[in-house]
Structures are given as structure tokens and as C-alpha cells.
Amino acid sequence: MLFMADNLENYGDNFQQKSKYVRDKLPRHILNWAKKPKTYKVYSDTIKKIKLPEPKFNPSIEFWNVIKNRHSSRKFTPEPLSFMELSLLLYGMSGINRIFPQFAFRTVPSAGGLYPTETYPVINNVTGLEKGLYHYDIQNHSLNVLKEGDFRRKVAEGCLDQNIAFTSAINFLWTAMIGRSQWKYLQRCYRYIYLDAGHIGQNFYLIAEALGLGACTIGAIYDDELNQFLEIDGKTETVIYIGVTGKKK
Ligand SMILES: Cc1cc2nc3c(=O)[nH]c(=O)nc-3n(C[C@H](O)[C@H](O)[C@H](O)COP(=O)(O)O)c2cc1C
């Protein structure tokens, strides 16, 4: 793979050094609670909303077998996934698992409980669902239908033409709402955004393994091609990571 010279600048090294916390030199800023960004992205003008089934957990799954066997799969059969499998994946990757009076916590940890990640499932092959681009409404464990159509090629192209995003039954596109974390962590927020996404990615792998599905995460993306597809600006919200899944071949 060829990288042009402007990709060889050391902005990554600079970021790592500049975003370090140093004793007695912590960035001083007062949290502006009046300007705290909203925790949930709300789509009010969707084609339709679809309620996901309550997740049904199979109690016979052995936790340590799941850990032991987790791996990336890149070969999928053309069999569809079920609506329940989609529901379990979404719940386990970002669902609300406990509510204290003012605050809804989730199945994944997040720095400061700020939850900057949004999930956009691209449905290629799920029984009972049209192919298309969806958004996960976390609060209501529902799907917002954003665009109907076959987007397998579009997403695979955005993943540096990786065919696994074409043959998969579902592609989860994870974006970061930068301001949600930056409100508190300023420039250091990027560290936490990526760490948060890693937690989601690991739950994704483990749930897929528990369900007997194949899964692979993808970090190699043409960011702005996918941002355009999602109709997001790539600055306040930007794609950061992708998970593809399907029945294992
Ligand atoms: C941050 C991250 C980015 C990745 N990006 C890709 C990718 O673009 N394409 C791909 O085929 N696999 C990708 N992978 C999967 C890794 O190649 C895989 O996890 C690694 O080879 C170890 O194999 P295992 O997951 O089967 O244990 C990625 C994994 C991570 C954690």
C-alpha cells in the first residue's frame, strides 16, 4: 500500500506527546453544564422507526469458551441473520443496562460516561428487514430507517475496497460525536474516543462468537467517503471504526 508524503508527517507523535497529562499542569477549564452536548443523536425525520425485540440471552453459552474462541472471520455464507441476533448485537455493543435516577449506563464503558459513539447498522441480509442504512436509537432500543437500498458496494469501497464489507450480512458503522467528549476532555478527548470504540469492538467480537457468527472489525477506511454516505460532516461527527458480521463459512 502506498502512502503519499503528506501522510508521513508526525502529527500522531505530536498528538500523543501534547495530549499527555502532566502533574501540576492539568488543563484548567470549568465545565459549562449549560452547554453540555446531548447524549443521544435523535433523528426526527426518518422513513420509519422499527422497535427491536427484547434481547433474549441463551444462558448455556460458556463465557470462557467465548473468550478462548474469539477471532476474526472474513468468509461469510449468504444466509441471513435474524432480527434477534441484530438486537443482541446492538444491545451488547451500546444498550442501556442500568438506570440510576438521572443517568443511563450502558453495556460498554465510556470515559466520563459521555458515550460519544453512534452506531449505524448497514443491513445487507437480515430476515424481515429491508436492505439499507439504519441508525440505532439507544434510548428506545429501536432502529431509525435512514435510507433504503443496497449499500454493500458503497460501504466496501469506503473500507479500502475490502470485500468482507460486501459479503457480510450487517456492517456496523461507528461514528464519534467529537463534542460530546471534547466538552470535558478538550484535545485529550481523541484518546478516549478511540478507547471507547475499542470496547465496543471487543463486545462486538464476543457477542458474535457467542452467537456462532463470523465477525471482523475494520480500521482501514476512506473516512470522508463514508462520512458522505452517512451525511455527516466528518468534523463534529466522523466515522471511526466498522464491524462486519455474517454467518461463518
Ligand atoms: C483497530 C483494528 C482495525 C482492524 N482493521 C482491519 C481491517 O481493516 N481489515 C481486516 O481485514 N481486519 C482488520 N482488523 C482485524 C485484525 O487484522 C485482527 O484482529 C488481527 O489480525 C488478529 O486476528 P484475530 O482477530 O483473528 O485474533 C482490525 C482489528 C483492529 C483491532
Side-chain angles (χ1 to χ4, degrees):
M1 197 177 293
L2 273 182
F3 288 100
M4 306 309 286
D6 64 354
N7 277 344
L8 299 176
E9 284 170 16
N10 59 351
Y11 49 80
D13 298 335
N14 290 340
F15 169 75
Q16 190 63 21
Q17 296 311 313
K18 285 190 167 184
S19 63
K20 281 181 174 169
Y21 276 166
V22 178
R23 187 176 296 280
D24 300 326
K25 288 188 188 154
L26 290 178
R28 294 165 69 85
H29 90 121
I30 294 163
L31 284 185
N32 185 344
W33 286 92
K35 292 220 165 132
K36 184 176 188 288
K38 291 199 165 47
T39 307
Y40 302 100
K41 186 166 182 185
V42 174
Y43 282 92
S44 41
D45 55 348
T46 54
I47 300 173
K48 61 182 167 204
K49 254 191 193 298
I50 299 172
K51 186 81 189 146
L52 287 154
E54 277 300 302
K56 264 206 202 111
F57 310 109
N58 176 348
S60 67
I61 290 166
E62 290 278 348
F63 177 74
W64 286 108
N65 278 342
V66 172
I67 298 274
K68 191 158 65 77
N69 294 328
R70 185 228 55 90
H71 62 282
S72 298
S73 302
R74 298 180 179 83
K75 291 216 162 94
F76 306 115
T77 73
E79 263 181 284
L81 297 202
S82 70
F83 208 21
M84 180 54 73
E85 286 167 327
L86 174 61
S87 173
L88 284 162
L89 282 158
L90 286 168
Y91 173 76
M93 298 188 305
S94 286
I96 292 172
N97 69 350
R98 60 209 198 278
I99 300 181
F100 289 118
Q102 298 282 317
F103 202 80
F105 290 91
R106 302 195 190 167
T107 51
V108 281
S110 171
L114 294 172
Y115 305 110
T117 315
E118 293 286 332
T119 303
Y120 297 85
V122 175
I123 303 297
N124 299 332
N125 196 6
V126 173
T127 305
L129 279 183
E130 292 292 325
K131 283 190 176 70
L133 170 65
Y134 294 70
H135 170 256
Y136 179 40
D137 173 347
I138 295 165
Q139 279 179 298
N140 298 302
H141 194 54
S142 299
L143 292 170
N144 294 315
V145 186
L146 302 185
K147 292 187 220 185
E148 285 176 343
D150 182 347
F151 299 117
R152 287 176 299 174
R153 187 164 302 284
K154 187 97 201 144
V155 177
E157 281 172 5
C159 294
L160 269 64
D161 305 305
Q162 296 185 72
N163 202 41
I164 47 173
F166 184 86
T167 53
S168 52
I170 308 173
N171 299 323
F172 294 101
L173 275 54
W174 291 298
T175 70
M177 303 287 286
I178 305 296
R180 256 184 225 159
S181 180
Q182 203 163 48
W183 169 74
K184 179 168 184 185
Y185 296 115
L186 307 175
Q187 290 302 301
R188 195 175 161 92
C189 76
Y190 291 94
R191 288 178 179 236
Y192 299 151
I193 283 169
Y194 293 128
L195 290 169
D196 275 21
H199 289 293
I200 292 172
Q202 184 68 2
N203 274 22
F204 166 68
Y205 269 119
L206 296 179
I207 299 160
E209 183 58 44
L211 295 174
L213 303 175
C216 189
T217 58
I218 295 183
I221 54 173
Y222 292 119
D223 307 51
D224 283 336
E225 291 185 15
L226 293 174
N227 288 331
Q228 275 159 24
F229 168 57
L230 293 177
E231 300 180 26
I232 57 176
D233 66 9
K235 288 188 176 132
T236 59
E237 181 178 7
T238 191
V239 179
I240 48 172
Y241 201 23
I242 288 175
V244 303
T245 184
K247 297 268 184 205
K248 263 185 219 172
K249 206 175 227 176

